[in-house]
């Protein structure tokens, strides 16, 4: 999330879940990334690309969901798996491998994408506010009652004595 705009989807799952549930969760995450992509497109971002990750236990896979016409395609951003360190030895192995570089590139991609999406959202919000204001003005104009024609005698106050003699 960057200033109220969702940029990415990262899902963490326990290592104990089965392959069937893992596949279901992965498909759900791709659908969620597609929803984020649709929001970005509705804000005016050209060819929105969503980076996402699925982490199962201490092993993660990073994906990118890209538009291709009316279809979204999800593909791995790298063939390497990311290993998150659960122990001190794991940390050393993680620092010597590609995991840190993959995570760093993932974050750098989000940092590049965030201002572009935020600007699109700001422009969208301005246009949306202008449209709402215009609708409110037009709606109020239609619902304003016509002026009432009043006569002078409707505004004259008669005392009780003058009312009785009338």
């Amino acid at each position: 999330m960057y200033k109220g705009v969702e940029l990415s989807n990262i899902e963490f799952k326990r290592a104990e879940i089965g392959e069937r549930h893992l596949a279901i969760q992965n498909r759900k995450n791709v659908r969620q990334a597609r929803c984020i992509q649709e929001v970005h497109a509705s804000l005016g971002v050209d060819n929105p690309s969503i980076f996402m990750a699925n982490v199962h236990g201490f092993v993660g896979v990073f994906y990118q969901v890209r538009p291709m016409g009316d279809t979204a395609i999800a593909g791995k951003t790298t063939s390497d798996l990311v290993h998150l360190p659960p122990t001190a030895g794991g940390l050393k192995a993680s620092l010597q491998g590609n995991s840190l570089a993959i995570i760093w590139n993932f974050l750098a991609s989000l940092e590049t994408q965030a201002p572009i999406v935020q600007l699109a959202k700001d422009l969208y919000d301005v246009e949306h506010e202008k449209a709402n204001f215009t609708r409110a003005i037009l709606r109020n104009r239609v619902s304003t009652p016509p002026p009432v024609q009043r006569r002078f005698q409707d505004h004259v106050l008669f005392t009780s004595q003058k009312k009785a003699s009338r």
Side-chain angles (χ1 to χ4, degrees):
M1 186 75 71
Y2 177 79
K3 295 185 180 180
V5 179
E6 194 164 3
L7 297 176
S8 180
N9 176 37
I10 302 173
E11 181 84 21
F12 291 88
K13 300 163 202 70
R14 291 188 335 263
E16 298 83 36
I17 70 168
E19 287 183 25
R20 180 176 175 269
H21 291 296
L22 183 62
I24 291 169
Q25 287 294 317
N26 286 343
R27 286 191 301 271
K28 179 198 68 124
N29 295 338
V30 170
R31 286 192 308 271
Q32 186 170 356
R34 177 69 172 139
C35 291
I36 295 169
Q37 186 181 45
E38 287 294 322
V39 169
H40 290 193
S42 73
L43 294 175
V45 176
D46 292 327
N47 293 321
S49 177
I50 305 302
F51 294 94
M52 57 177 275
N54 285 318
V55 180
H56 180 233
F58 293 99
V59 178
V61 179
F62 287 78
Y63 297 94
Q64 183 177 18
V65 177
R66 299 187 59 116
M68 181 176 264
D70 292 338
T71 308
I73 298 173
K76 291 180 182 178
T77 57
T78 177
S79 58
D80 293 333
L81 297 175
V82 173
H83 296 275
L84 302 175
T87 63
L91 177 59
K92 185 175 181 180
S94 180
L95 292 174
Q96 292 172 349
N98 294 335
S99 295
L100 189 58
I102 293 168
I103 293 170
W104 186 265
N105 286 330
F106 177 79
L107 295 175
S109 298
L110 294 180
E111 286 181 342
T112 301
Q113 188 182 43
I116 295 166
V117 174
Q118 182 61 44
L119 178 62
K121 181 184 182 305
D122 291 345
L123 293 171
Y124 173 85
D125 288 346
V126 167
E127 291 302 316
H128 193 68
E129 286 176 25
K130 286 178 5 185
N132 283 343
F133 183 69
T134 303
R135 277 194 299 275
I137 289 173
L138 294 176
R139 184 174 36 248
N140 287 341
R141 195 177 292 162
V142 171
S143 63
T144 303
V148 177
Q149 297 293 328
R150 299 196 185 269
R151 297 178 309 200
F152 176 73
Q153 71 184 37
D154 292 339
H155 299 287
V156 176
L157 179 64
F158 292 106
T159 62
S160 55
Q161 184 181 22
K162 288 186 178 178
K163 281 185 184 176
S165 65
R166 238 178 136 200

